[in-house]
Amino acid sequence: MAKVPPGVGPRFPQVVVLFGATGDLAKRKLLPGLYHLCAAGFLPDYRIIGVSLDDIDTAAFSARTREALAQHFNRPIADDDWAAFAERLAYVPLSAGAAALAAAAARAEASIGQDSQRLHYLSVPPSAALSAVRTLGEAGLMANARIVMEKPFGTDLASAVKLNRAVHEVFAEEQIFRIDHFLGKEPAQNILAFRFANGLFEPIWNRNFIDHVQIDVPETLGLGQRSAFYEQTGAYRDMVVTHLFQILGFMAMEPPTSLEPQPISEEKNKVFRSMLPIEPGDVVRGQYNGYRDEPGVDPQSETETFIALKCFIDNWRWAGVPFFLRTGKRMAEGQRIISIAFREPPKSMFPPGSGVGAQGPDHLTFDLADASKMSLSFYGKRPGPGMRLDKLSLQFAMRDTGLAGEVLEAYERLILDAMRGDHTLFCTAEGIEQLWQVSTKLLESPPPVRLYEPGSWGPKSVHQLIAPHAWRLPFERAWRNPNQSGA
Ligand code: BG6
């Protein structure tokens, strides 16, 4: 694997303590991500200690890790890179207690030297987060440490406040990195570049020019092994109060005074403070047919696997502009888009039947898929006699720049940032508590779930929610593929 130049990663060797080391996220993202960072030479040196409920030993953990890489690491794995990685793995079952964890950490630290730093990664559900923090406290692993916490951070305002308070008893706020992997995606950061590095769009980025905004993240995947976790969580807590609102924060915030963590968090938090409470009447909750038959799911379950809602940011920039958010499992397509619909011109001189406005308003669309894409669609004249209009578009795809191979996977990028102590792309306690506050009314009186067919776009009432507008997805015109002739 190509090695990165020194100085890009953290300065000091890292001891990573990974709670939830045999879980789904660790297998799919964290272990492959750590392997990539280690094999590519981002870290001066490292040791990784897996911790979980499974009563296995280091050899079995290493074998499971190798299996996870075989399934989820999509680059070649060189034997010597793997051997170097495997040699640095250790495992402590939770049942062995804090003393065993402390001993494993001491062994790891002794083998890589005095100046190492600790990175604790809690890849555990909200119900287990506190006990993991306490175990770290009992093991005395607070000093020289950073702790990465996975969402959802609590399940409502009261539990988030309680969790933050309890974590603060062991770790100081500057040691805590609340991760939201959507913010580690290149296209999400590109929203900031696009908005603030160019003069063209910022002047029209407000209620005078923008009619409404859609943040739409349908997924085709179901729940796999995760139904027991999901049954307690649902689409709102799993996706909206976390990823979709964070993206909304980037899309809607004022220009920060600098690209430093504090000014960025402050601007995002101002957006969250300006949000009006989510009204249950502005929400459609859905559940796909068949969810209740899945293992670990209550046959009477009211957990939503789909949610669509309308929300408002009541500040000078955005007052009156509806933001429509949608996400769900087992839907027709997997997409992640932000679509900004501009206001229509005040008056049209085009003759009836010319086609102006017939295909919705002009739009700017960001595709947050790993290889980022953008499209600006507008009405233009169809060649030939008379005045017939068509929807045309300017499109950009990162793939065409030849730089797409340099993209770090979102978790890799964020793990590296946490190791370097950079909070820019992480969430603050205040921001999260504010988002729970905005959600209280909905969590207290959720509308009933409506069934939808797997492979569809959700319950029918999603169309009423957005009327008189329409969901951009499914796209009427596919993204242009520059490799196809005639495109
Ligand atoms: C996770 C959610 O945080 O994000 C999952 O728990 C969801 O339910 C996933 O599928 C989507 O992330 P990505 O990066 O695969 O789009």
Side-chain angles (χ1 to χ4, degrees):
M1 181 172 307
K3 306 281 177 198
V4 296
V8 182
R11 282 176 56 206
F12 300 107
Q14 304 287 317
V15 173
V16 179
V17 177
L18 175 57
F19 281 78
T22 56
D24 182 70
L25 181 65
K27 277 194 270 192
R28 282 188 305 110
K29 299 285 183 185
L30 305 179
L31 290 165
L34 283 166
Y35 175 76
H36 182 218
L37 294 178
C38 297
F42 280 97
L43 313 184
D45 200 358
Y46 61 94
R47 297 289 183 276
I48 296 169
I49 305 172
V51 181
S52 87
L53 285 171
D54 290 344
D55 269 318
I56 55 172
D57 59 9
T58 295
F61 176 56
S62 173
R64 286 196 194 186
T65 302
R66 185 68 187 80
E67 219 171 279
L69 295 191
Q71 278 177 20
H72 302 289
F73 187 66
N74 46 21
R75 303 176 203 231
I77 301 174
D79 287 346
D80 50 347
D81 284 344
W82 163 251
F85 188 74
E87 194 170 278
R88 290 169 169 79
L89 294 178
Y91 183 81
V92 179
L94 256 187
S95 58
L101 179 59
R107 276 195 300 279
E109 285 163 11
S111 66
I112 49 173
Q114 293 281 310
D115 59 355
S116 64
Q117 288 177 331
R118 298 165 175 155
L119 186 86
H120 307 310
Y121 198 119
L122 305 194
S123 173
V124 295
S127 54
L130 250 190
S131 78
V133 169
R134 293 204 178 107
T135 305
L136 287 165
E138 274 173 50
L141 297 177
M142 300 81 81
N144 235 346
R146 298 180 173 123
I147 176 164
V148 181
M149 300 188 63
E150 267 294 335
K151 49 102 235 189
F153 310 100
T155 50
D156 56 13
L157 178 58
S159 61
V161 171
K162 195 169 147 209
L163 177 65
N164 282 329
R165 218 174 270 154
V167 178
H168 286 151
E169 284 172 16
V170 184
F171 293 100
E173 179 65 18
E174 63 269 18
Q175 292 179 285
I176 305 170
F177 290 76
R178 296 175 190 80
I179 195 166
D180 188 302
H181 79 279
F182 268 49
L183 297 187
K185 290 178 188 284
E186 284 284 339
Q189 295 157 55
N190 212 12
I191 299 171
L192 297 185
F194 184 82
R195 286 190 58 195
F196 301 132
N198 300 294
L200 179 58
F201 287 100
E202 202 46 32
I204 57 167
W205 209 258
N206 59 51
R207 60 195 298 276
N208 298 323
F209 298 93
I210 291 179
D211 183 76
H212 70 274
V213 177
Q214 299 182 23
I215 302 180
D216 205 356
V217 185
E219 297 182 282
T220 50
L221 48 87
L223 293 165
Q225 311 294 311
R226 300 172 72 222
S227 22
F229 156 79
Y230 197 84
E231 177 65 356
Q232 308 298 320
T233 309
Y236 186 76
R237 291 182 172 93
D238 185 41
M239 293 291 287
V240 178
V241 84
T242 53
H243 306 320
L244 273 61
F245 281 162
Q246 291 297 329
I247 292 292
L248 177 125
F250 270 13
M251 147 69 204
M253 74 188 194
E254 297 300 316
T257 50
S258 72
L259 273 190
E260 295 294 315
Q262 213 217 340
I264 292 200
S265 296
E266 186 44 31
E267 294 307 336
K268 258 199 306 166
N269 291 350
K270 271 160 64 184
V271 171
F272 301 152
R273 284 202 291 272
S274 305
M275 284 175 75
L276 295 177
I278 311 287
E279 291 295 332
D282 287 341
V283 177
V284 175
R285 291 170 72 239
Q287 187 187 76
Y288 63 77
N289 241 329
Y291 172 73
R292 292 177 187 174
D293 304 329
E294 293 196 6
V297 173
D298 178 351
Q300 323 258 306
S301 173
E302 287 287 307
T303 299
E304 79 282 352
T305 60
F306 168 101
I307 189 150
L309 60 85
K310 174 164 67 173
C311 62
F312 292 94
I313 302 168
D314 201 21
N315 63 14
W316 275 50
R317 189 184 281 265
W318 295 116
V321 176
F323 285 72
F324 297 99
L325 275 47
R326 172 169 72 169
T327 185
K329 303 291 184 202
R330 305 281 311 266
M331 292 179 63
E333 285 176 28
Q335 294 268 4
R336 304 181 200 109
I337 65 153
I338 305 179
S339 175
I340 294 157
F342 293 103
R343 284 187 188 278
E344 298 195 8
K347 191 165 165 45
S348 177
M349 70 292 287
F350 293 95
S354 64
V356 68
Q359 296 171 69
D362 34 334
H363 283 100
L364 178 64
T365 303
F366 292 87
D367 186 330
L368 303 183
D370 295 328
S372 56
K373 286 187 280 196
M374 258 174 246
S375 149
L376 180 65
S377 36
F378 54 90
Y379 286 91
K381 184 184 171 303
R382 185 189 295 179
M387 184 55 97
R388 292 276 306 151
L389 302 173
D390 269 335
K391 199 88 179 269
L392 308 173
S393 66
L394 294 169
Q395 296 191 4
F396 162 81
M398 189 59 79
R399 223 183 19 217
D400 303 341
T401 63
L403 296 173
E406 296 184 16
V407 168
L408 276 185
E409 204 277 330
Y411 279 98
E412 297 173 1
R413 157 75 199 244
L414 294 173
I415 290 173
L416 210 55
D417 283 358
M419 287 176 171
R420 293 169 45 245
D422 182 346
H423 271 100
T424 311
L425 298 173
F426 291 84
C427 313
T428 60
E430 186 204 327
I432 283 159
E433 288 173 15
Q434 186 57 39
L435 290 173
W436 284 123
Q437 173 83 55
V438 165
S439 311
T440 301
K441 228 171 169 179
L442 171 65
L443 296 176
E444 284 175 358
S445 1
V449 287
R450 296 171 192 278
L451 293 179
Y452 63 96
E453 284 312 310
S456 72
W457 287 95
K460 300 229 167 3
S461 41
V462 289
H463 301 297
Q464 286 149 23
L465 179 75
I466 201 167
H469 315 296
W471 293 98
R472 280 298 313 285
L473 291 175
F475 285 132
E476 276 169 31
R477 292 165 302 278
W479 288 94
R480 215 160 19 239
N481 179 350
N483 301 323
Q484 259 164 28
S485 58

